[in-house]
Amino acid sequence: MKDWINSELNNLARSITALSEQAETIAAIAAACTQALRAGNKIMFCGNGGSAADSQHLAAEFVGRYKLERPAMNSVALTVDTSILTAIGNDYGYNDVFRRQVEGIGRKGDILVGLSTSGNSTNIIQAFEQARSMGITTVAFTGRSGGKMKEIADICLPVTADVTNHIQELHITSGHLICELVEKNIHTK
């Protein structure tokens, strides 16, 4: 068992080290988020399953704090309102649960971050299409292949892993780097 644990940790460590290949993309996402927040816009997050939890986690880092004691930053996870999610899912279908929210609360200049390990989540793709029509910048966090989201996102971060749990671990690692960069960009001189 110890050998298996060590093997898994070594695989994850290699993936995290390889994430440095995406440093420019991570910096570009942080710059886009910084620009949006400075202009009075917001960052919206969406995802399914574990990626929904990561969406909530990252939105909380912006609204609460990551490392710096500073004012709240405008961010929301589109994964948390059960009344909205179930009403849209029931009345329109699950593929519309994020698109309708973007249509309702999104504004030109906002950022929509979609997290999907496959890059093929239909409900996120539809939200991206809605966002694009409204002048909202789309950011995709995906697995290595990028899926369909890579083709339609303004910025795509295809992390250096193929297995779901490692993809999610790299998404949260990348998200934390972005949170710290945005905090420093906005709240340090």
Side-chain angles (χ1 to χ4, degrees):
M1 182 177 297
K2 183 179 175 186
D3 289 341
W4 176 82
I5 292 169
N6 287 333
S7 175
E8 285 296 301
L9 291 172
N10 286 331
N11 288 337
L12 179 58
R14 279 191 293 278
S15 291
I16 288 174
T17 299
L19 190 59
S20 66
E21 297 167 11
Q22 295 289 353
E24 286 184 27
T25 302
I26 291 168
I29 295 167
C33 291
T34 299
Q35 180 180 0
L37 292 168
R38 281 185 174 151
N41 295 102
K42 70 183 153 301
I43 304 168
M44 300 175 285
F45 289 92
C46 62
N48 299 290
S51 296
D54 288 344
S55 294
Q56 293 166 220
H57 180 147
L58 294 172
E61 300 289 19
F62 281 106
V63 176
R65 69 166 181 256
Y66 182 62
K67 290 185 177 178
L68 297 179
E69 195 59 47
R70 41 88 179 156
M73 293 187 279
N74 194 359
S75 185
V76 63
L78 305 179
T79 58
V80 296
D81 190 319
T82 55
S83 294
I84 288 174
L85 292 169
T86 57
I88 295 170
N90 185 60
D91 294 348
Y92 297 95
Y94 189 68
N95 288 336
D96 284 327
V97 296
F98 302 134
R99 183 192 67 76
R100 293 283 295 187
Q101 291 184 76
V102 169
E103 181 181 33
I105 68 169
R107 298 292 174 261
K108 183 177 182 173
D110 288 346
I111 305 282
L112 174 62
V113 180
L115 290 81
S116 171
T117 59
S118 69
N120 293 314
S121 300
T122 302
N123 56 2
I124 298 175
I125 291 168
Q126 289 188 6
F128 275 22
E129 290 168 350
Q130 179 68 44
R132 175 159 293 191
S133 75
M134 297 172 64
I136 296 169
T137 300
T138 55
V139 175
F141 281 35
T142 68
R144 188 185 315 268
S145 73
K148 294 176 185 173
M149 289 168 58
K150 183 177 184 175
E151 299 167 16
I152 65 168
D154 293 307
I155 305 171
C156 184
L157 177 65
V159 298
T160 53
D162 302 300
V163 180
T164 299
N165 63 303
H166 289 287
I167 294 168
Q168 290 172 332
E169 290 154 352
L170 295 173
H171 283 175
I172 206 65
T173 299
S174 301
H176 281 161
L177 292 169
I178 292 162
C179 289
E180 185 162 356
L181 287 169
V182 171
E183 274 190 343
K184 287 179 178 180
N185 288 343
I186 295 176
H187 297 289
T188 61
K189 294 183 169 67

